[in-house]
């Protein structure tokens, strides 16, 4: 029999779920094959912008194995894909929300737009039939440039003739402008936060099954939040009774935000499954993923920082144009606004901030949340300004930051957030020790002997995780709740099944959730099973995104465990013939205080289900409890990063030589999993800084549509990461004291890398280097600087 494990919180326990993944036993959506399975293929637009004059599907319908061919005429009666957040413009008007059709209706608006759905006995037959579909297009000029979209002569949507979805702002513009007018120093930068393509290892996939016996649907889908998927699909698009649709998200091979959203493909095959009367499976090919998975970032920004003569920050302002792509994706509208501008205080006491965001439609793939979601863009803006200001004012970058750090908490920022805890100077001091900043000059001299330029860059990030609470988010435009649900089902033998509305797709929930429950109940982790991802089993939950799982989902589970313990005390009091107030619970035992009289957790569980000696008039049988948790605030993880690079001035090649990180995630449940999350985030953030960049040509064709053209970071692009989690300042408003960790690396890394490159080139007068800092982009920057 497994013994109870005490003190599980804070232990580096290997992930329980890894065994099945490493031995090929994972069950992904594409692994699901139903009886009488059929297969879907989508004919996609080769044009970024065109009217559809006609579609002839007659030949395709007669092709071997074809079960059905559908176009926008067939789906015109159903709703469009909804956007989950309403943003209101400065003038009080709501954002423009053109219909996002499941299949194109009269017009295509980006390369990859769904034109027709073909369902056949085999995938090969579906592909062959799609080639027989004849589409007559009237090609139109495309809008592809973020910066000039609002001035383009062609409209992506009739509802937005100037291509502007909204112009939103936060802050006191007049007060900010006045502060700039009397500033001793102003630092100004103009830059692009480059567009990224998510590229999770598992492409998107779906398998829709219609059951004629009870008029119900089951959808297997690679999704980060199955309940939200079901709600949006049933209530806003297909008009189906929600209780007649079951959504199952099995093992999911990464998401990074791209699998949060309701997409056209799973919606279309769910709709078609009833018409075909067969299960329909669709799995994206990698080229489809490049074209149709929601992209990230894509901001064009002008930002300024005002300082007094001593380097104290007086004000910050930004004007950003954010690309939304061709349609509003599920949470697209809140990414450059609510999740971006509210983080512009960073770790600093900047008293005045003004942010103005113009969001535009273009003939490109829709843009939405990608690991960090608005917060990487905010951190990049702030940390590039701070580092540049330090150089211009001849103040050490660390010193300038320390002069402006927030030191007292809670702290209300001028952009609507209240930080509850933090110790920013501690993480900066520690990362400088880890990075051996004192030895930098000696390493720089060694690099110079090799003809290389060495630079060092700093980044101090903060992020807001576990977006909350629902009522405030609702007032800001959210069209959904932001709570989480947990259920604890204790079986008669004392074994436990946990049902969580959070979804695991690489985060390690099956381990960390089991740790917190085992620690609380004093039972072995092996006695606990974690279930997620099935709307047919689990209470309505909001899924996993925004580093919310442990802080929100874990707290919901903990609240349900507390209810189990409370009921267990009632049962124990009866069995031990004691007052309920005298019953204590610890280490898996219910004990009468001050005595040796006790009952084990398993004994109480058995009594709950075999109530022979049980006050049924006072206690109902069973030991099953659930809880919902809606946080009162975000959590605010923060940290400091130091990066060192070597630049070859002849070729522009950048070599990442050293990278140190010190993060404050509050209380840490499993340091091994946290370190893995940080490593992954750093790799993605460094990828954005050095390698990744999505490019469209003027006709709207995706130039970087394969891994030959879109460079993901490889092992030899990275260096050894020196990662440390600080003792931390616990979150003050959740019982675990935890803060999010999954996005930190992707948020803090890009400015650290670019700051290091700029430092290496500063003697040439270089103030900025565009992302991605490819050899060509760096070489061009060097050449331009030499001319001046």
């Amino acid at each position: 029999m497994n013994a109870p494990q005490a003190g599980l919180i804070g232990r580096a326990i290997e992930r329980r779920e890894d065994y099945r993944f490493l031995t090929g036993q994972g069950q992904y959506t594409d692994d699901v094959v139903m009886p009488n399975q059929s297969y879907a293929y989508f004919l996609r637009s080769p044009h970024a912008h065109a009217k559809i004059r006609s579609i002839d599907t007659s030949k395709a319908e007669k092709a071997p194995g074809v079960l059905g061919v559908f176009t926008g005429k067939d789906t015109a009666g159903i709703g469009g894909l909804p956007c989950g957040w309403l943003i209101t413009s400065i003038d009080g008007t709501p954002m423009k929300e053109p219909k996002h059709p499941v299949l194109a209706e009269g017009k295509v608006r980006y390369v990859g737009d769904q034109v027709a759905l073909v369902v056949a006995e085999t995938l090969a037959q579906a592909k062959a039939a799609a080639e027989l579909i004849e589409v007559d297009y009237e090609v139109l000029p495309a809008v592809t440039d973020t910066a000039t979209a609002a001035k383009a002569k062609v409209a992506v949507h009739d509802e937005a003739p100037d291509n502007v979805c909204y112009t939103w702002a936060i802050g006191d513009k007049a007060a900010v402008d006045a502060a700039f007018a009397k500033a001793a120093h102003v630092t100004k930068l103009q830059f692009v936060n480059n567009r990224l393509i998510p590229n999770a290892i598992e492409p998107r996939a779906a398998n829709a099954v219609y059951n004629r016996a009870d008029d119900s649907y089951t959808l297997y889908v690679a999704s980060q939040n199955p309940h939200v998927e079901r709600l949006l699909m049933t209530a806003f698009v297909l008009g189906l009774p929600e209780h007649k649709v079951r959504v199952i998200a099995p093992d999911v091979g990464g998401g990074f935000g791209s699998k949060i959203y309701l997409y056209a493909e799973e919606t279309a095959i769910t709709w078609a499954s009833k018409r075909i009367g067969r299960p329909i499976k669709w799995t994206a090919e990698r080229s489809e993923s490049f074209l149709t998975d929601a992209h990230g970032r894509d901001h064009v920004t002008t930002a300024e920082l005002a300082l007094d003569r001593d380097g104290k920050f007086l004000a910050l302002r930004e004007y950003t144009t954010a690309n939304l792509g061709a349609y509003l994706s599920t949470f697209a509208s809140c990414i450059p606004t609510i999740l971006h501008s509210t983080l512009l205080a960073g770790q600093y006491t900047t008293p005045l901030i003004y942010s103005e965001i113009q969001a535009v439609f273009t003939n490109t793939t829709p843009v939405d949340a990608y690991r960090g979601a608005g917060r990487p863009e905010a951190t990049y803006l702030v940390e590039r300004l701070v580092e540049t200001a330090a150089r211009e004012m001849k103040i050490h970058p660390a010193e300038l930051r320390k002069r402006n750090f927030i030191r007292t908490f809670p702290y209300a920022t001028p952009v609507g957030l209240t930080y509850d805890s933090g110790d920013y100077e501690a993480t900066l001091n520690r990362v400088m020790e880890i990075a051996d900043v004192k030895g930098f000059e000696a390493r720089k001299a060694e690099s110079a002997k090799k003809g290389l330029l060495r630079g060092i860059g700093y980044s101090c990030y903060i992020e807001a995780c576990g977006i909350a609470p629902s009522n405030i988010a609702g007032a800001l435009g959210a069209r959904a709740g932001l709570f989480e649900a947990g259920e604890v089902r204790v079986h008669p033998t004392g074994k436990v099944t946990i049902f969580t509305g959070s979804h695991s797709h690489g985060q390690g929930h099956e381990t960390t959730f089991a740790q917190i429950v085992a620690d609380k109940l004093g039972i072995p982790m092996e006695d606990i099973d974690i279930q997620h991802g099935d709307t047919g089993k689990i209470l309505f939950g909001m899924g996993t995104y925004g580093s919310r799982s442990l802080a929100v989902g874990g707290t919901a589970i903990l609240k349900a465990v507390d209810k189990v313990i409370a009921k267990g005390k009632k049962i124990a009091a009866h069995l031990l013939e004691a007052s309920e107030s005298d019953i204590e619970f610890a280490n898996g035992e219910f004990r009468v205080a001050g005595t040796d009289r006790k009952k084990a957790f398993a004994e109480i569980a058995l009594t709950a289900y075999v109530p022979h000696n049980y006050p049924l008039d006072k206690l109902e049988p069973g030991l099953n409890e659930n809880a919902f948790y809606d946080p009162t605030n975000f959590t605010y993880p923060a940290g400091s990063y130091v990066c060192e690079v070597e630049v070859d001035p002849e070729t522009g090649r950048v070599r990442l030589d050293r990278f140190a990180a010190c993060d404050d995630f509050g209380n840490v449940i499993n340091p091994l999993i946290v370190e893995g999350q940080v490593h992954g985030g750093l790799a993605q953030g460094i990828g954005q800084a050095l390698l990744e960049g999505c490019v469209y040509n003027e006709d709207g064709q995706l130039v970087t549509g394969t891994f030959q053209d879109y460079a993901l970071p490889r092992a030899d692009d990275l260096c050894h990461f020196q990662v440390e989690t600080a003792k931390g300042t616990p979150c003050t408003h959740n019982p675990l004291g935890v803060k999010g960790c999954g996005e930190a690396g992707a948020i803090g890394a890009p400015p650290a890398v670019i700051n290091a490159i700029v430092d290496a080139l500063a003697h040439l007068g270089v103030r900025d280097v565009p992302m991605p800092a490819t050899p060509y982009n760096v070489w061009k920057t060097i050449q331009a600087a030499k001319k001046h």
Side-chain angles (χ1 to χ4, degrees), residues 3 475 514 719:
C719 63

Side-chain angles (χ1 to χ4, degrees), residues 562-592:
D562 286 338
K563 292 181 180 181
V564 165
I565 293 172
K567 184 173 181 180
K569 286 183 177 180
K570 295 178 185 293
I571 299 171
H574 172 73
L575 294 179
L576 295 169
E577 298 179 338
S579 169
E580 183 185 336
S581 61
D582 290 333
I583 301 297
E584 299 174 338
F585 179 74
N587 300 319
E589 295 176 337
F590 293 89
R591 182 186 298 270
V592 179

Side-chain angles (χ1 to χ4, degrees), residues 390-407:
R391 183 167 293 108
E392 291 174 346
M393 297 186 73
K394 296 180 172 52
I395 302 172
H396 191 279
E399 171 60 26
L400 183 61
R401 288 174 168 88
K402 291 178 181 180
R403 292 184 191 182
N404 291 279
F405 275 153
I406 297 164
R407 299 179 187 279

Side-chain angles (χ1 to χ4, degrees), residues 514-780:
Q515 278 182 258
I516 62 173
V517 174
D519 187 85
K520 186 78 171 180
L521 292 179
I523 62 176
M525 283 182 63
E526 292 79 7
D527 288 358
I528 300 168
D529 184 38
I530 308 295
Q531 294 286 320
H532 63 89
D534 185 344
T535 64
K537 294 181 179 179
I538 293 161
L539 297 168
F540 190 100
M542 298 306 296
T544 292
Y545 46 85
S547 301
R548 72 191 302 269
S549 294
L550 197 56
V552 188
T555 298
I557 292 169
L558 201 63
K559 288 168 71 70
V561 171
D562 286 338
K563 292 181 180 181
V564 165
I565 293 172
K567 184 173 181 180
K569 286 183 177 180
K570 295 178 185 293
I571 299 171
H574 172 73
L575 294 179
L576 295 169
E577 298 179 338
S579 169
E580 183 185 336
S581 61
D582 290 333
I583 301 297
E584 299 174 338
F585 179 74
N587 300 319
E589 295 176 337
F590 293 89
R591 182 186 298 270
V592 179
T595 75
D596 60 356
R597 295 163 58 207
K598 61 185 179 180
K599 291 288 182 180
F601 179 77
E603 293 180 88
I604 299 299
L606 184 61
T607 302
Y609 288 98
V610 187
H612 295 164
N613 181 21
Y614 200 81
L616 292 171
D617 58 327
K618 298 178 181 178
L619 279 173
E620 63 183 28
L623 200 51
N624 182 30
E625 299 287 350
N626 63 62
F628 288 80
Y629 174 65
D630 198 328
T632 58
N633 195 358
F634 292 90
T635 69
Y636 298 99
S640 296
Y641 295 167
V642 175
C643 173
E644 283 187 39
V645 300
E646 283 186 328
V647 180
D648 185 336
E650 299 301 318
T651 65
R653 182 178 182 274
V654 176
R655 187 180 72 85
L656 194 73
D657 186 58
R658 299 165 70 92
F659 201 104
C662 183
D663 301 282
D664 176 359
F665 297 130
N667 293 336
V668 173
I669 304 301
N670 187 317
L672 185 65
I673 288 178
V674 167
E675 186 174 352
Q677 288 286 318
V678 173
H679 276 239
L682 289 176
Q684 284 183 278
I686 292 165
Q688 175 176 11
L690 294 179
L691 298 159
E692 299 183 50
C694 174
V695 177
Y696 285 90
N697 69 14
E698 61 183 13
D699 296 322
Q701 296 295 327
L702 181 61
V703 176
T704 52
T706 72
F707 287 131
Q708 288 183 312
D709 308 297
Y710 187 91
L712 290 181
R714 301 178 301 184
D716 61 353
D717 293 311
L718 307 175
C719 63
H720 173 69
F721 298 147
Q722 296 171 287
V723 173
E724 185 174 299
T725 303
K727 183 179 179 182
T729 55
C731 175
T732 61
H733 54 80
N734 69 59
L736 291 166
V738 297
K739 305 177 183 182
C741 72
E743 297 165 297
I747 293 170
V753 174
I754 298 301
N755 284 339
I757 298 171
V758 172
D759 181 61
L761 306 178
H763 66 288
L764 298 173
V766 170
R767 296 180 74 248
D768 193 27
V769 173
M771 292 193 295
T774 61
Y776 180 61
N777 281 340
V778 174
W779 182 84
K780 280 199 306 180

Side-chain angles (χ1 to χ4, degrees), residues 150-230:
K151 299 176 182 178
K153 295 180 180 179
V154 62
V156 178
H157 296 279
D158 294 341
E159 296 89 337
D162 59 356
N163 294 317
V164 176
C165 177
Y166 58 78
T167 301
W168 174 92
I170 188 171
D172 186 335
K173 184 177 186 301
V176 168
D177 289 346
F180 270 88
K182 60 184 181 183
H185 182 86
V186 173
T187 292
K188 180 177 180 179
L189 288 172
Q190 294 176 300
F191 53 82
V192 173
N193 204 290
N194 44 321
R195 187 180 182 116
L196 303 175
I197 302 175
N199 279 306
I201 194 168
E202 178 207 21
R204 288 190 295 119
N207 197 339
V209 184
Y210 173 70
N211 187 343
R212 207 173 291 278
D214 61 358
D215 194 31
S216 69
Y217 299 79
T218 300
L219 173 66
Y220 296 86
V221 62
S223 172
Q224 297 177 219
N225 47 2
H227 273 106
V228 175
E229 174 113 2
R230 182 180 71 169

